[in-house]
Amino acid sequence: MTERINRLKVVLAEKQRTNKWLANELDINPSTVSKWCTNSSQPDITLLLRISKLLDVELEELINKEFVESL
């Protein structure tokens, strides 16, 4: 079972943004963003920081609190 590390899908929905929008903003393949949203892969810390700025949220809002607490 894949651990739900990031909350990207939830935050994108809250901000009324799409995977495609984020992919365009980051100049990356939309399938990469899709993998992040399903937690089948994770963005690195540099990308998470860029994403938090693009979505105007704190970095902590992008990370699943249960995952952090399990460390």
Side-chain angles (χ1 to χ4, degrees):
M1 180 178 157
T2 303
E3 291 189 80
R4 295 182 342 183
I5 296 172
N6 75 65
R7 299 181 62 247
L8 187 53
K9 183 176 182 176
V10 173
V11 176
L12 281 170
E14 289 171 351
K15 295 292 185 170
Q16 299 181 329
R17 296 293 187 174
T18 64
N19 295 9
K20 185 175 180 179
W21 172 84
L22 185 58
N24 287 337
E25 291 293 312
L26 296 172
D27 195 29
I28 61 172
N29 192 309
S31 67
T32 301
V33 176
S34 179
K35 289 177 184 177
W36 296 341
C37 288
T38 61
N39 275 281
S40 60
S41 71
Q42 301 298 324
D44 65 27
I45 190 68
T46 304
L47 281 171
L48 276 174
L49 286 167
R50 287 181 61 200
I51 293 166
S52 72
K53 288 180 181 180
L54 286 168
L55 294 173
D56 193 28
V57 296
E58 295 294 324
L59 180 61
E60 293 81 14
E61 290 183 58
L62 294 174
I63 301 173
N64 186 314
K65 289 175 181 45
E66 288 88 20
F67 173 76
V68 173
E69 291 169 0
S70 74
L71 296 177

